[in-house]
Each structure stands twice: as structure tokens, then as C-alpha cells.
Coordinates of all heavy atoms in Angstrom, one line a residue:
M17 N 15.5 0.0 6.3 CA 14.6 -0.9 7.1 C 14.0 0.0 8.2 O 14.5 1.0 8.6 CB 15.5 -1.9 7.8 CG 14.8 -3.1 8.2 SD 15.8 -4.5 8.1 CE 15.4 -5.3 9.6
F18 N 12.7 -0.3 8.5 CA 11.9 0.5 9.4 C 11.9 -0.2 10.8 O 12.0 -1.4 10.9 CB 10.5 0.6 8.9 CG 10.3 1.5 7.7 CD1 10.2 0.9 6.5 CD2 10.3 2.9 7.8 CE1 10.0 1.7 5.4 CE2 10.1 3.6 6.7 CZ 9.9 3.1 5.5
S19 N 11.7 0.6 11.8 CA 11.4 0.0 13.1 C 9.9 -0.3 13.1 O 9.2 0.1 12.2 CB 11.8 1.0 14.2 OG 11.0 2.2 14.0
K20 N 9.5 -1.0 14.1 CA 8.1 -1.4 14.2 C 7.2 -0.1 14.4 O 7.5 0.7 15.2 CB 7.9 -2.3 15.4 CG 6.5 -2.9 15.5 CD 6.4 -3.9 16.6 CE 5.0 -4.4 16.7 NZ 4.8 -5.3 17.8
I21 N 6.1 0.0 13.6 CA 5.2 1.1 13.7 C 3.8 0.6 13.7 O 3.5 -0.5 13.2 CB 5.4 2.1 12.6 CG1 5.2 1.5 11.2 CG2 6.8 2.8 12.7 CD1 5.2 2.5 10.1
D22 N 2.9 1.4 14.1 CA 1.4 1.0 14.0 C 1.0 1.4 12.6 O 1.3 2.5 12.1 CB 0.6 1.8 15.0 CG 0.9 1.3 16.5 OD1 1.0 0.1 16.6 OD2 0.9 2.1 17.4
V23 N 0.2 0.6 12.0 CA -0.3 0.8 10.7 C -1.8 1.2 10.6 O -2.4 1.6 9.6 CB -0.1 -0.4 9.7 CG1 1.4 -0.6 9.5 CG2 -0.8 -1.6 10.2
K24 N -2.5 1.1 11.8 CA -3.9 1.5 11.9 C -4.2 1.9 13.3 O -3.4 1.6 14.2 CB -4.8 0.4 11.4 CG -4.8 -0.9 12.2 CD -5.7 -1.9 11.5 CE -5.8 -3.2 12.4 NZ -6.7 -4.1 11.8
G25 N -5.3 2.5 13.5 CA -5.7 3.0 14.8 C -5.3 4.4 15.1 O -4.7 5.1 14.2
D26 N -5.5 4.8 16.4 CA -5.1 6.1 16.8 C -3.6 6.4 16.7 O -3.2 7.6 16.5 CB -5.6 6.4 18.2 CG -7.1 6.4 18.3 OD1 -7.8 6.7 17.3 OD2 -7.6 6.2 19.4
D27 N -2.8 5.4 16.8 CA -1.4 5.6 16.8 C -0.7 5.3 15.4 O 0.5 5.1 15.3 CB -0.7 4.7 17.9 CG -1.1 5.2 19.3 OD1 -1.3 6.4 19.5 OD2 -1.3 4.3 20.1
A28 N -1.6 5.2 14.4 CA -1.0 4.9 13.1 C 0.0 5.9 12.6 O -0.1 7.1 12.8 CB -2.2 4.8 12.0
H29 N 1.1 5.4 12.0 CA 2.1 6.2 11.5 C 1.5 7.1 10.4 O 0.7 6.6 9.6 CB 3.2 5.3 10.9 CG 4.5 6.1 10.5 ND1 4.6 6.7 9.3 CD2 5.6 6.3 11.2 CE1 5.7 7.3 9.2 NE2 6.4 7.0 10.4
P30 N 2.0 8.3 10.3 CA 1.4 9.3 9.2 C 1.5 8.7 7.8 O 0.6 9.0 7.0 CB 2.3 10.5 9.4 CG 2.7 10.5 10.8 CD 2.9 9.0 11.1
L31 N 2.5 7.9 7.5 CA 2.6 7.3 6.2 C 1.4 6.5 5.9 O 0.8 6.6 4.8 CB 3.9 6.5 6.0 CG 4.0 5.7 4.7 CD1 4.0 6.6 3.5 CD2 5.2 4.8 4.8
F32 N 1.1 5.6 6.8 CA -0.1 4.7 6.6 C -1.4 5.4 6.7 O -2.4 5.1 6.0 CB 0.0 3.5 7.5 CG 1.0 2.5 7.1 CD1 2.3 2.6 7.6 CD2 0.8 1.6 6.2 CE1 3.3 1.8 7.2 CE2 1.7 0.7 5.7 CZ 3.0 0.8 6.2
T33 N -1.5 6.5 7.4 CA -2.7 7.3 7.4 C -2.9 7.9 6.0 O -4.0 7.9 5.5 CB -2.6 8.5 8.5 OG1 -2.3 7.9 9.8 CG2 -3.8 9.3 8.5
Y34 N -1.8 8.4 5.4 CA -1.9 9.0 4.1 C -2.2 7.9 3.1 O -3.1 8.1 2.2 CB -0.5 9.6 3.7 CG -0.4 9.9 2.3 CD1 -1.0 11.0 1.7 CD2 0.4 9.1 1.4 CE1 -0.9 11.3 0.4 CE2 0.5 9.4 0.1 CZ -0.2 10.5 -0.5 OH -0.1 10.8 -1.8
L35 N -1.6 6.7 3.1 CA -1.8 5.7 2.2 C -3.3 5.2 2.2 O -3.9 5.0 1.1 CB -0.9 4.5 2.4 CG 0.6 4.7 2.2 CD1 1.4 3.5 2.7 CD2 0.8 4.9 0.7
V36 N -3.8 5.0 3.4 CA -5.2 4.6 3.5 C -6.2 5.6 3.0 O -7.2 5.3 2.4 CB -5.5 4.2 5.0 CG1 -7.0 4.0 5.2 CG2 -4.7 2.9 5.3
K37 N -5.9 6.9 3.3 CA -6.7 8.0 2.9 C -6.8 8.0 1.3 O -7.8 8.2 0.7 CB -6.2 9.3 3.4 CG -7.0 10.5 3.0 CD -6.4 11.8 3.5 CE -7.0 13.0 2.8 NZ -6.1 14.1 2.8
E38 N -5.6 7.9 0.7 CA -5.5 7.9 -0.7 C -6.1 6.7 -1.5 O -6.5 6.8 -2.6 CB -4.1 8.2 -1.2 CG -3.6 9.6 -0.7 CD -4.3 10.7 -1.3 OE1 -4.6 10.8 -2.5 OE2 -4.7 11.6 -0.5
A39 N -6.0 5.5 -0.8 CA -6.4 4.3 -1.4 C -7.2 3.4 -0.4 O -6.7 2.5 0.1 CB -5.2 3.5 -2.0
P40 N -8.4 3.8 -0.1 CA -9.2 3.0 0.9 C -9.5 1.7 0.3 O -9.6 1.5 -0.9 CB -10.4 3.8 1.1 CG -10.6 4.8 -0.1 CD -9.2 5.0 -0.6
G41 N -9.6 0.7 1.1 CA -9.9 -0.7 0.7 C -11.4 -0.8 0.2 O -12.2 0.1 0.4
M42 N -11.7 -1.9 -0.4 CA -13.0 -2.1 -0.9 C -14.0 -2.4 0.2 O -15.2 -1.9 0.2 CB -13.0 -3.3 -1.9 CG -12.3 -3.0 -3.2 SD -12.5 -4.4 -4.3 CE -12.2 -3.6 -5.8
V43 N -13.6 -3.2 1.2 CA -14.6 -3.6 2.2 C -14.5 -2.6 3.4 O -15.5 -2.2 3.9 CB -14.3 -5.0 2.7 CG1 -15.1 -5.4 3.9 CG2 -14.4 -6.0 1.6
T44 N -13.3 -2.2 3.7 CA -13.0 -1.3 4.8 C -11.9 -0.4 4.4 O -11.0 -0.7 3.6 CB -12.7 -2.0 6.1 OG1 -12.4 -1.1 7.1 CG2 -11.5 -2.9 6.0
K45 N -11.9 0.8 5.0 CA -10.9 1.8 4.6 C -9.6 1.4 5.3 O -8.5 1.7 4.9 CB -11.3 3.2 5.1 CG -12.4 3.8 4.2 CD -12.7 5.2 4.6 CE -13.8 5.7 3.7 NZ -14.1 7.1 4.0
Q46 N -9.7 0.7 6.5 CA -8.5 0.4 7.2 C -7.7 -0.7 6.6 O -8.1 -1.4 5.7 CB -8.9 -0.1 8.6 CG -9.5 1.0 9.5 CD -8.5 2.2 9.7 OE1 -7.3 1.9 10.0 NE2 -9.0 3.4 9.6
I47 N -6.4 -0.9 7.0 CA -5.6 -1.9 6.6 C -6.0 -3.2 7.3 O -6.1 -3.1 8.6 CB -4.1 -1.6 6.8 CG1 -3.7 -0.4 6.0 CG2 -3.2 -2.8 6.6 CD1 -2.3 0.1 6.3
K48 N -6.2 -4.3 6.6 CA -6.6 -5.5 7.3 C -5.4 -6.2 8.0 O -5.6 -6.7 9.1 CB -7.2 -6.4 6.2 CG -7.8 -7.7 6.8 CD -8.4 -8.6 5.7 CE -8.9 -9.9 6.3 NZ -9.6 -10.7 5.3
W49 N -4.3 -6.1 7.3 CA -3.1 -6.8 7.8 C -1.9 -6.1 7.4 O -1.9 -5.4 6.4 CB -3.2 -8.3 7.3 CG -2.2 -9.2 8.0 CD1 -1.9 -9.3 9.3 CD2 -1.6 -10.3 7.3 NE1 -1.0 -10.3 9.5 CE2 -0.8 -11.0 8.3 CE3 -1.5 -10.8 6.0 CZ2 0.0 -12.1 8.0 CZ3 -0.7 -11.9 5.7 CH2 0.0 -12.5 6.7
N50 N -0.8 -6.2 8.0 CA 0.4 -5.4 7.7 C 1.0 -5.8 6.4 O 2.0 -5.1 5.9 CB 1.4 -5.5 8.8 CG 2.0 -6.9 9.1 OD1 1.3 -7.9 8.8 ND2 3.1 -7.0 9.7
F51 N 0.5 -6.8 5.7 CA 1.1 -7.1 4.3 C 0.3 -6.5 3.2 O 0.4 -6.8 2.0 CB 1.2 -8.6 4.1 CG 2.4 -9.2 4.9 CD1 2.1 -9.9 6.1 CD2 3.7 -9.0 4.5 CE1 3.2 -10.4 6.9 CE2 4.7 -9.5 5.3 CZ 4.5 -10.2 6.4
T52 N -0.6 -5.6 3.5 CA -1.3 -4.8 2.5 C -0.2 -4.1 1.7 O 0.7 -3.5 2.3 CB -2.3 -3.8 3.1 OG1 -3.3 -4.5 3.9 CG2 -3.0 -2.9 2.1
K53 N -0.4 -4.0 0.4 CA 0.6 -3.4 -0.4 C 0.1 -2.2 -1.1 O -1.1 -2.2 -1.6 CB 1.1 -4.4 -1.5 CG 1.8 -5.6 -0.9 CD 1.7 -6.8 -1.9 CE 2.0 -8.1 -1.3 NZ 1.0 -8.5 -0.3
F54 N 0.9 -1.1 -1.2 CA 0.5 0.1 -1.9 C 1.5 0.4 -3.0 O 2.7 0.3 -2.8 CB 0.5 1.3 -0.9 CG -0.6 1.2 0.1 CD1 -0.4 0.6 1.3 CD2 -1.9 1.7 -0.1 CE1 -1.3 0.5 2.3 CE2 -2.9 1.6 0.9 CZ -2.6 1.0 2.1
L55 N 1.0 0.8 -4.1 CA 1.9 1.1 -5.3 C 1.8 2.7 -5.4 O 0.7 3.3 -5.5 CB 1.4 0.5 -6.6 CG 2.2 0.8 -7.8 CD1 3.7 0.4 -7.6 CD2 1.6 0.1 -9.0
V56 N 3.0 3.3 -5.3 CA 3.1 4.7 -5.3 C 4.0 5.2 -6.4 O 5.0 4.6 -6.6 CB 3.7 5.2 -3.9 CG1 3.9 6.7 -3.9 CG2 2.9 4.7 -2.7
N57 N 3.5 6.2 -7.2 CA 4.4 6.6 -8.3 C 5.5 7.5 -7.9 O 5.6 7.8 -6.7 CB 3.5 7.2 -9.4 CG 2.9 8.6 -9.0 OD1 3.3 9.2 -8.1 ND2 2.0 9.0 -9.8
R58 N 6.3 8.0 -8.8 CA 7.4 8.8 -8.5 C 7.1 10.2 -7.8 O 7.9 10.8 -7.2 CB 8.2 9.1 -9.8 CG 8.8 7.9 -10.5 CD 9.4 8.3 -11.8 NE 9.6 7.1 -12.6 CZ 10.8 6.5 -12.7 NH1 11.8 6.9 -12.0 NH2 10.9 5.4 -13.5
D59 N 5.8 10.6 -8.0 CA 5.4 11.9 -7.5 C 4.8 11.7 -6.1 O 4.3 12.6 -5.5 CB 4.4 12.5 -8.4 CG 5.0 12.9 -9.7 OD1 6.2 13.3 -9.8 OD2 4.3 12.7 -10.8
G60 N 4.7 10.5 -5.6 CA 4.2 10.2 -4.3 C 2.7 9.9 -4.3 O 2.0 9.8 -3.3
K61 N 2.1 9.9 -5.5 CA 0.6 9.6 -5.6 C 0.4 8.1 -5.5 O 1.1 7.3 -6.2 CB 0.1 10.1 -6.9 CG -1.4 9.9 -7.1 CD -1.9 10.5 -8.4 CE -3.4 10.3 -8.4 NZ -3.9 9.7 -9.6
V62 N -0.6 7.7 -4.7 CA -0.9 6.3 -4.6 C -1.7 5.9 -5.8 O -2.7 6.5 -6.2 CB -1.8 6.1 -3.3 CG1 -2.1 4.6 -3.2 CG2 -1.1 6.5 -2.0
V63 N -1.2 4.9 -6.5 CA -1.7 4.4 -7.7 C -2.7 3.3 -7.5 O -3.7 3.2 -8.2 CB -0.6 4.0 -8.7 CG1 -1.1 3.4 -10.0 CG2 0.3 5.2 -9.0
D64 N -2.3 2.4 -6.6 CA -3.2 1.2 -6.4 C -2.9 0.6 -5.0 O -1.9 1.0 -4.3 CB -2.9 0.1 -7.4 CG -4.1 -0.8 -7.7 OD1 -5.1 -0.7 -6.9 OD2 -4.1 -1.4 -8.7
R65 N -3.8 -0.2 -4.6 CA -3.7 -0.9 -3.3 C -4.0 -2.4 -3.5 O -4.9 -2.7 -4.3 CB -4.7 -0.3 -2.3 CG -4.8 -1.1 -1.0 CD -5.7 -0.3 -0.1 NE -6.0 -1.1 1.1 CZ -6.6 -0.6 2.2 NH1 -6.9 0.6 2.3 NH2 -6.8 -1.4 3.3
F66 N -3.2 -3.3 -2.9 CA -3.3 -4.7 -3.1 C -3.6 -5.4 -1.8 O -3.0 -5.0 -0.7 CB -2.1 -5.3 -3.8 CG -1.8 -4.6 -5.1 CD1 -1.0 -3.5 -5.2 CD2 -2.4 -5.1 -6.3 CE1 -0.7 -2.9 -6.4 CE2 -2.1 -4.5 -7.5 CZ -1.3 -3.4 -7.5
A67 N -4.4 -6.4 -1.8 CA -4.7 -7.2 -0.6 C -3.5 -7.9 0.0 O -2.5 -8.2 -0.8 CB -5.8 -8.2 -0.9
P68 N -3.5 -8.2 1.3 CA -2.4 -8.9 1.9 C -2.0 -10.2 1.2 O -0.8 -10.5 1.1 CB -2.8 -9.1 3.3 CG -3.8 -8.1 3.6 CD -4.5 -7.9 2.3
Q69 N -3.0 -10.9 0.7 CA -2.7 -12.2 0.1 C -2.2 -12.1 -1.3 O -1.8 -13.1 -1.9 CB -3.9 -13.1 0.2 CG -5.1 -12.7 -0.5 CD -6.1 -11.8 0.3 OE1 -5.6 -11.1 1.2 NE2 -7.3 -11.7 -0.1
T70 N -2.2 -10.9 -1.9 CA -1.6 -10.7 -3.2 C -0.1 -11.0 -3.2 O 0.6 -10.4 -2.4 CB -1.9 -9.3 -3.8 OG1 -3.3 -9.1 -3.7 CG2 -1.4 -9.2 -5.2
K71 N 0.3 -11.9 -4.0 CA 1.8 -12.2 -4.0 C 2.5 -11.1 -4.7 O 2.0 -10.5 -5.7 CB 2.0 -13.5 -4.8 CG 1.4 -14.7 -4.0 CD 1.7 -16.0 -4.8 CE 1.1 -17.2 -4.0 NZ 1.3 -18.4 -4.7
P72 N 3.7 -10.7 -4.2 CA 4.5 -9.6 -4.9 C 4.7 -9.8 -6.4 O 4.6 -8.8 -7.1 CB 5.8 -9.6 -4.1 CG 5.4 -10.2 -2.8 CD 4.4 -11.2 -3.0
E73 N 4.9 -11.0 -6.8 CA 5.2 -11.3 -8.2 C 3.9 -11.0 -9.1 O 4.0 -10.8 -10.3 CB 5.7 -12.7 -8.5 CG 4.8 -13.8 -8.0 CD 5.1 -14.3 -6.6 OE1 5.7 -13.6 -5.8 OE2 4.6 -15.4 -6.3
N74 N 2.7 -10.9 -8.4 CA 1.5 -10.6 -9.2 C 1.3 -9.1 -9.4 O 0.3 -8.8 -10.1 CB 0.3 -11.2 -8.4 CG 0.3 -12.8 -8.5 OD1 1.0 -13.4 -9.3 ND2 -0.4 -13.4 -7.6
V75 N 2.1 -8.3 -8.8 CA 2.0 -6.9 -9.1 C 3.2 -6.4 -10.0 O 3.3 -5.2 -10.2 CB 1.9 -6.1 -7.8 CG1 0.7 -6.5 -7.0 CG2 3.2 -6.2 -6.9
K76 N 3.9 -7.3 -10.5 CA 5.1 -6.9 -11.3 C 4.7 -6.0 -12.5 O 5.3 -5.0 -12.7 CB 5.8 -8.1 -11.8 CG 7.0 -7.8 -12.6 CD 7.7 -9.1 -13.1 CE 8.9 -8.7 -14.0 NZ 9.5 -9.9 -14.6
K77 N 3.7 -6.4 -13.2 CA 3.3 -5.6 -14.4 C 2.8 -4.2 -14.0 O 3.1 -3.2 -14.7 CB 2.2 -6.3 -15.2 CG 2.7 -7.5 -15.9 CD 1.6 -8.2 -16.7 CE 2.2 -9.4 -17.4 NZ 1.2 -10.1 -18.2
D78 N 2.1 -4.1 -12.9 CA 1.6 -2.8 -12.4 C 2.8 -1.9 -12.0 O 2.8 -0.7 -12.3 CB 0.7 -3.0 -11.1 CG -0.5 -3.8 -11.4 OD1 -1.4 -3.2 -12.1 OD2 -0.6 -5.0 -11.0
I79 N 3.8 -2.5 -11.4 CA 5.0 -1.7 -11.0 C 5.8 -1.3 -12.3 O 6.2 -0.1 -12.4 CB 6.0 -2.6 -10.1 CG1 5.3 -2.9 -8.8 CG2 7.3 -1.9 -9.9 CD1 6.0 -3.9 -7.9
E80 N 5.9 -2.2 -13.2 CA 6.6 -1.8 -14.5 C 5.9 -0.7 -15.2 O 6.5 0.2 -15.8 CB 6.7 -3.1 -15.4 CG 7.8 -4.1 -14.8 CD 7.8 -5.4 -15.6 OE1 6.8 -5.7 -16.3 OE2 8.8 -6.1 -15.4
K81 N 4.5 -0.7 -15.2 CA 3.7 0.3 -15.9 C 4.0 1.6 -15.2 O 4.2 2.6 -15.9 CB 2.3 0.0 -15.8 CG 1.4 1.0 -16.4 CD -0.1 0.6 -16.4 CE -0.9 1.7 -17.0 NZ -2.4 1.4 -16.8
V82 N 4.0 1.7 -13.9 CA 4.2 2.9 -13.2 C 5.7 3.4 -13.4 O 5.9 4.6 -13.6 CB 4.0 2.8 -11.7 CG1 4.5 4.0 -10.9 CG2 2.5 2.5 -11.4
L83 N 6.6 2.5 -13.5 CA 8.0 2.9 -13.7 C 8.2 3.5 -15.1 O 9.1 4.3 -15.3 CB 9.0 1.7 -13.5 CG 9.2 1.3 -12.1 CD1 10.0 0.0 -12.0 CD2 9.8 2.4 -11.2
N84 N 7.4 3.1 -16.1 CA 7.5 3.5 -17.5 C 6.7 4.8 -17.7 O 6.7 5.3 -18.9 CB 7.1 2.4 -18.4 CG 8.2 1.3 -18.4 OD1 9.4 1.6 -18.3 ND2 7.7 0.1 -18.4
E85 N 6.0 5.3 -16.8 CA 5.2 6.5 -17.0 C 6.1 7.7 -17.0 O 7.1 7.8 -16.3 CB 4.1 6.7 -15.9 CG 3.1 5.6 -16.1 CD 2.0 5.8 -15.0 OE1 2.1 6.5 -14.0 OE2 0.9 5.1 -15.2

């Protein structure tokens, strides 16, 4: 479990700075809301980014694909 961190702006945590750099959004590079989801493979490469309103169960196939690579 994480403590509260900033996900955008000047005080953004380095993890989110990396995630946004590797998978910028379609409309804006920034994270719109803290429920933006990132799919990262075993090597730490960002594979995909999902909108906050995307339900976790809707990325199940994407996660399974990455796990089977």
C-alpha cells in the first residue's frame, strides 16, 4: 500500500512522471484523474494506458496477454 502522493504537476512522484512520459494520453499527456490505469510488463515497459472510467475487468485480456509474453 502506498502513502498519498502527487500524480501530476511539479511535485509528481517519479513513478507517475515515468508512466506519463512512456504512455501519454490521447487528449493530454497528463493524468486526468488518479484512477488512470497503466499496464506495465515484466521488464518495466509501459504497454498501455487506460482512462479512469475503464473498469478493471475490461483490461483483463490485456493483462493476461502481457503475462503470457
